[in-house]
Amino acid sequence: MVRARSDSPLLFEIVEKPDFSVETKAMAAGQWPVAGMDEAGRGPLAGPVTAAAVVLDPENIPEGLDDSKRLTFEQREALFDRILASALGVSMASISAEGIDASNILRASLEAMRRALCGLPLRPKLALADGRDVPPGLPCEGRALVRGDQRSQSIAAASIVAKVMRDRMMADCGRRHVHYGFELHMGYATARHRTAIEIHGPVARLHRTSFAPFRLGVVEVVED
């Protein structure tokens, strides 16, 4: 017996797109404003971890919001401008490489999100955080959403703002430290970046010396 082929898409072909449903439910429950929080830069060997908090205007949500990793450079830049022009509140914060080394990347990421939230021009009643952890010390209720940047438009907006700001910071580092190519790899452990570290050494206050390969061997830190 031959089975008829379904016209429904296969599960692995479904691409989840963020929407405003979590925020809408919170609004109906009296929890408004709702802020989305996300960070960029947990994995690189260099540079800060940067976070953003965004309160979108329910009546003016930019089209095309998505997980920043699923967007092109041009799409992120365009949406960054639209978010800043339309959102009710946007705030950014970062923790330096030294701050990351002094604690750990998870704590630094959560602290950056907390600072971003506290910097908003309005006080949210609910904060949605991408991932499994709620930053400690929030001034409101917090809720963690796994793959939140693919589920919540507020978190997606925060992921775009955090990514664009961090990329711009790393591009500036690339102009100051021309041997490393930061503007190309944003501090991630590419072959070019690792080779530059082997030749020129890590840059003080820019490279995360608590990360491998630095903590696996003795390296001479270059003062800028």
Side-chain angles (χ1 to χ4, degrees), residues 32-183:
W32 183 258
V34 178
M37 301 182 297
D38 202 359
E39 50 75 26
R42 286 183 63 165
L45 301 179
V49 60
T50 304
V54 176
V55 178
L56 292 173
D57 180 352
E59 303 299 324
N60 190 16
I61 298 176
E63 292 186 10
L65 292 177
D66 202 348
D67 174 0
S68 63
K69 297 183 291 296
R70 302 199 301 202
L71 299 171
T72 66
F73 171 85
E74 291 77 14
Q75 288 172 328
R76 287 195 299 267
E77 288 287 330
L79 282 165
F80 178 86
D81 291 339
R82 292 178 205 153
I83 293 165
L84 265 59
S86 63
L88 300 178
V90 178
S91 176
M92 293 155 273
S94 64
I95 303 292
S96 68
E98 288 182 301
I100 294 168
D101 290 337
S103 55
N104 61 54
I105 187 58
L106 175 59
R107 291 178 183 174
S109 298
L110 295 176
E111 174 61 13
M113 285 195 281
R114 186 194 70 81
R115 293 183 186 182
L117 186 80
C118 291
L120 285 169
L122 67 170
R123 178 66 62 88
K125 289 189 177 180
L126 176 64
L128 304 174
D130 182 45
R132 299 182 180 276
D133 302 292
V134 175
L138 296 181
C140 65
E141 180 184 342
R143 186 184 307 169
L145 290 180
V146 176
R147 298 194 317 276
D149 47 11
Q150 299 177 23
R151 298 167 58 190
S152 159
Q153 289 179 321
S154 297
I155 296 178
S159 78
I160 293 166
V161 172
K163 171 66 173 168
V164 170
M165 288 304 300
R166 187 180 188 279
D167 283 359
R168 292 180 180 182
M169 293 167 73
M170 295 309 298
D172 184 62
C173 289
R175 288 187 285 270
R176 294 187 58 197
H177 304 283
V178 296
H179 300 300
Y180 296 86
F182 291 123
E183 71 282 5

Side-chain angles (χ1 to χ4, degrees), residues 192-223:
R192 171 173 178 165
H193 190 191
R194 287 180 175 274
T195 299
I197 293 169
E198 291 175 3
I199 296 173
H200 304 287
V203 180
R205 295 175 294 279
L206 182 57
H207 279 102
R208 304 172 182 179
T209 54
S210 61
F211 278 38
F214 310 117
R215 62 181 172 79
L216 300 179
V218 178
V219 292
E220 181 178 354
V221 178
V222 178
E223 293 287 341

Side-chain angles (χ1 to χ4, degrees), residues 16-35:
E16 194 171 36
K17 291 288 187 180
D19 59 30
F20 208 65
S21 60
V22 175
E23 294 88 337
T24 300
K25 290 179 182 178
M27 291 171 63
Q31 290 183 300
W32 183 258
V34 178

